[in-house]
Amino acid sequence: MSEAAAIAAWRTLGARRAAVSAAALAGLAASFAADLATGPALLPIGAVLRTLAGINDDPMLAAIVLQLRLPIGLMAIIVGAALGLSGAVMQTILANPLASSYTLGISAGAGFGAALVIVFGAALPFAQIWAIPTAAFLFAALACALVAAAGRLRGATPELLVLAGIACLFLFQALLSLLQFIASQEALQMIVFWLFGSLLRASMTKVAIVATVLAAVSPLLLRDAWRFTALQLGDDRARGLGVNVDALRLRAFAAVSLLTGAAVAFVGTIGFIGLVAPHIARGLVGEDQRHFLPASALLGALLLSAASVASKLILPGTVFPIGIVTALIGVPFFAWLVVRGGAR
Amino acid sequence: MSIQANGLTVRYGAHVAVRGLTLAAHHGEVLAVIGANGSGKSSLLRALAGLVPHSGSVARRPAARIGYMPQETAARAALTVFEVVLLGRLRSLALKVATPDLDAAARALDEVGIPELASRRITTLSGGQRQLAFLAQVLAADPTILLLDEPSSALDIAHQFQVLTLLREATRRRGLTTIAVLHDLNAAARFADRLALLHQGGLLAEGSPAAVLRPETLRQAYGISAAILAGPDGCPVVVPTGVAA
Ligand SMILES: Nc1ncnc2c1ncn2[C@@H]1O[C@H](COP(=O)(O)OP(=O)(O)O)[C@@H](O)[C@H]1O
Ligand SMILES: [Mg+2]
């Protein structure tokens, strides 16, 4: 292969990866439309699209689509993207394909925060619909801060961060169990329901909040794309190439905590997306992070949006909690992916 | 002098890996660092590259660009060889990769003789092929000082010859300063201008191959007895004859 041929081959590869992402985007659009069309009343896609475009004068239809289903459909996309992106970054900086907001205790932290408000929140002067996500976010951030503090003290090596994350997971799970133990019957039910994860609590305000965080954090992460790619060759080599490894890890960790915290705060613990989306993305576009990060976000959005559709179709008339659906569909799918021969 | 260490000491906790070492390397020169396992070769290189905390001083020109190649050649990332080499340009890489960076990567691949591997996943290469890819990565950065930790340890005899010849010629032609850790004493003798023999973190001997590769120094550094023969072009050839008592 000549010099020009090597460059041309790499450019072709880049174009192919962009095409994969474009296909995922098209799939996402289709899934979004299906999400708006499905529900207790099955709506024709054409009518849904006309409503979105503002050229439908059926007020009943408009109310269903714009007020009930649109926030849920958008929330699925934004939260899915946030979870996919943060999972990808975590797997990269921790050099571990099993790292995700769930395995690192961030979701557990959020769950504990939410439960805390559910059990003791009656005493708070705030409405629960805001107090619960706020507490969930704060405790997710606290979980991250604990892990990052361990990294600051002892050097931010992947092993140490993963260990600290797992310790965090156990800590918050134990605390959560304690809360469940002392909770009233009614509170217990609320906690369990929160932990299932659900998109039904979505509203346009909440969508806007998570979208803002996503829009603020993504460019910061993308700016480090090449440094993330270098980091995958090992700390020593990355340092030799000029990366300040510890600083990069901690800054990425902070960005990702913000992202996951915001995502899980409003929808509860939705496991799996953060694990599976990057896994599929890696197989499809490789780990040049300029492709890998956007593809992980897109696939996360697609997966959660598709899960939202599925949650309404499994048992007509019932909406299954989305966290359960992602796990029930995701686990066999993931097992199949792994057995078929992973991306690595 | 292009890079100079003065009283360089590297500690890992209580363990001293490099003790008060003073060493210089010059433009257009290949300096081979040799010594037994654990004698501090890698630590010395990492300190020269500024990658480990150390005491003592390392002096080099502010404009010097260091290309450091670690000993470890494992790689797990889902990246192609071309991407790995391109990362050598990290300091100038933008989201949209500029032509000079692409050209430098392609040229470096050519230089180490593996252009046909450009589109392969790095994880599918043999150890030796990976070593060549990482060498191309270092060269792509257009460095002025090369610090190479066992750049040829996984290479077959032909590739070892090719890589060391390449390094020596590039060093002469571009006026680089190359410091390479080599385990193969005969290769070191042939390709390096000077040798530095480390023993327990200190400098046991330094100078021309003939001055360093002597039975006494080898006995002390490696615990072997060896005969030193004269090679075809006059450079010394080490033949181990036994383990010293
Ligand atoms: N990260 C580390 N932590 C503790 N000890 C280390 C570390 N790296 C190297 N050492 C020790 O320092 C000494 C020198 O190691 P090194 O520089 O790798 O030697 P060489 O490259 O000559 O084999 C060895 O005794 C090794 O065990
Ligand atoms: Mg070594």
Side-chain angles (χ1 to χ4, degrees):
Chain A
M1 210 184 288
S2 73
E3 289 180 25
I7 294 174
W10 189 65
R11 287 215 163 106
T12 308
L13 190 63
R16 208 159 63 214
R17 289 167 173 171
V20 168
S21 287
L25 192 61
L28 179 59
S31 171
F32 179 58
D35 201 9
L36 296 185
T38 48
L42 214 53
L43 307 176
I45 297 261
V48 170
L49 293 181
R50 278 196 299 281
T51 309
L52 284 181
I55 48 173
N56 188 332
D57 37 12
D58 179 347
M60 181 68 181
L61 197 74
I64 293 179
V65 171
L66 296 180
Q67 277 159 39
L68 294 178
R69 295 188 188 174
L70 188 61
I72 294 179
L74 286 177
M75 199 64 162
I77 289 176
I78 301 288
V79 167
L83 292 176
L85 177 59
S86 59
V89 172
M90 270 190 250
Q91 292 180 16
T92 297
I93 61 174
L94 299 178
N96 189 330
L98 297 180
S100 77
S101 59
Y102 187 81
T103 48
L104 290 183
I106 302 175
S107 299
F112 172 71
L116 205 57
V117 171
I118 292 172
V119 174
F120 298 111
L124 289 176
F126 314 105
Q128 289 228 336
I129 64 158
W130 291 108
I132 291 177
T134 306
F137 178 81
L138 289 179
F139 277 87
L142 177 64
C144 293
L146 288 177
V147 175
R152 292 230 39 148
L153 284 179
R154 293 289 315 271
T157 63
E159 294 80 11
L160 184 96
L161 291 178
V162 169
L163 273 180
I166 290 175
C168 229
L169 171 66
F170 281 118
L171 172 69
F172 281 114
Q173 261 175 2
L175 290 173
L176 181 63
S177 302
L178 187 67
L179 276 183
Q180 288 177 314
F181 182 69
I182 61 172
S184 68
Q185 201 57 38
E186 201 180 329
L188 184 61
Q189 205 172 359
M190 269 181 81
I191 294 175
V192 169
F193 190 72
W194 195 91
L195 292 178
F196 279 160
S198 167
L199 291 169
L200 298 182
R201 299 183 280 262
S203 72
M204 285 313 264
T205 317
K206 294 174 180 174
V207 168
I209 292 174
V210 187
T212 306
V213 175
L214 183 64
V217 167
S218 307
L220 294 179
L221 290 172
L222 216 51
R223 215 178 46 188
D224 277 326
W226 276 117
R227 281 178 283 272
F228 287 135
T229 309
L231 192 62
Q232 292 174 290
L233 297 177
D235 285 14
D236 240 20
R237 206 174 294 280
R239 282 199 187 95
L241 292 171
V243 180
N244 183 342
V245 169
D246 283 10
L248 176 65
R249 253 196 204 110
L250 291 176
R251 134 172 120 239
F253 203 74
V256 161
S257 343
L258 210 64
L259 204 53
T260 343
V264 297
F266 291 121
V267 301
T269 38
I270 297 180
F272 235 73
I273 300 283
L275 189 66
V276 183
H279 184 86
I280 302 174
R282 188 177 292 121
L284 289 175
V285 304
E287 288 182 299
D288 172 345
Q289 305 264 329
R290 298 170 311 146
H291 293 285
F292 178 58
L293 296 183
S296 297
L298 267 175
L299 286 167
L302 174 57
L303 286 176
L304 198 55
S305 179
S308 170
V309 177
S311 72
K312 291 180 274 186
L313 295 181
I314 295 175
L315 200 67
T318 316
V319 180
F320 270 74
I322 191 87
I324 297 181
V325 176
T326 53
L328 283 186
I329 299 179
V331 172
F333 178 58
F334 190 57
W336 174 73
L337 272 183
V338 171
V339 169
R340 198 199 51 165
R344 275 171 191 268
Chain B
M1 179 276 298
S2 121
I3 183 164
Q4 159 115 38
N6 259 318
L8 192 68
T9 297
V10 178
R11 287 190 186 82
Y12 301 106
H15 182 78
V16 183
V18 176
R19 51 187 85 229
L21 205 124
T22 295
L23 189 68
H26 309 271
H27 290 291
E29 173 187 62
V30 176
L31 172 67
V33 177
I34 57 176
N37 295 329
S39 58
K41 306 180 297 294
S42 295
S43 303
L44 168 64
L45 245 61
R46 288 154 55 91
L48 290 175
L51 301 179
V52 281
H54 53 265
S55 54
S57 70
V58 175
R60 56 173 187 260
R61 277 216 303 234
R65 284 185 305 277
I66 290 204
Y68 167 71
M69 175 168 157
Q71 181 176 348
E72 177 69 48
T73 62
R76 297 184 316 140
L79 296 172
T80 68
V81 170
F82 190 82
E83 283 161 348
V84 167
V85 177
L86 194 57
L87 280 171
R89 307 285 299 177
L90 188 67
R91 285 185 175 83
S92 57
L93 280 181
L95 277 183
K96 175 155 177 18
V97 181
T99 313
D101 292 327
L102 290 172
D103 288 343
R107 223 179 310 119
L109 267 176
D110 245 12
E111 211 170 359
V112 302
I114 52 166
E116 75 284 358
L117 297 181
S119 299
R120 286 268 296 274
R121 284 265 173 113
I122 186 85
T123 45
T124 67
L125 301 190
S126 76
Q129 291 172 325
R130 261 202 312 276
Q131 214 161 30
L132 291 173
F134 285 130
L135 186 63
Q137 181 186 65
V138 169
L139 292 176
D142 218 350
T144 59
I145 299 177
L146 283 174
L147 302 173
L148 310 172
D149 202 343
E150 303 194 17
S152 60
S153 57
L155 302 181
D156 64 53
I157 192 164
H159 278 98
Q160 183 185 45
F161 187 86
Q162 180 207 329
V163 160
L164 294 178
T165 307
L166 162 80
L167 285 177
R168 193 174 54 184
E169 275 168 10
T171 303
R172 300 263 155 79
R173 198 176 50 222
R174 301 198 212 162
L176 310 182
T177 305
T178 298
I179 304 182
V181 174
L182 297 176
H183 262 310
D184 183 335
L185 299 181
N186 295 325
R190 265 192 81 101
F191 289 98
D193 301 295
R194 268 189 318 133
L195 306 187
L197 174 58
L198 299 198
H199 180 55
Q200 295 176 355
L203 191 60
L204 184 65
E206 185 206 342
S208 71
V212 173
L213 298 177
R214 286 179 297 121
E216 315 84 79
T217 53
L218 294 179
R219 175 186 302 271
Q220 203 179 339
Y222 295 96
I224 54 162
S225 49
I228 312 294
L229 313 179
D233 40 9
C235 74
V237 174
V238 177
V239 181
T241 56
V243 178

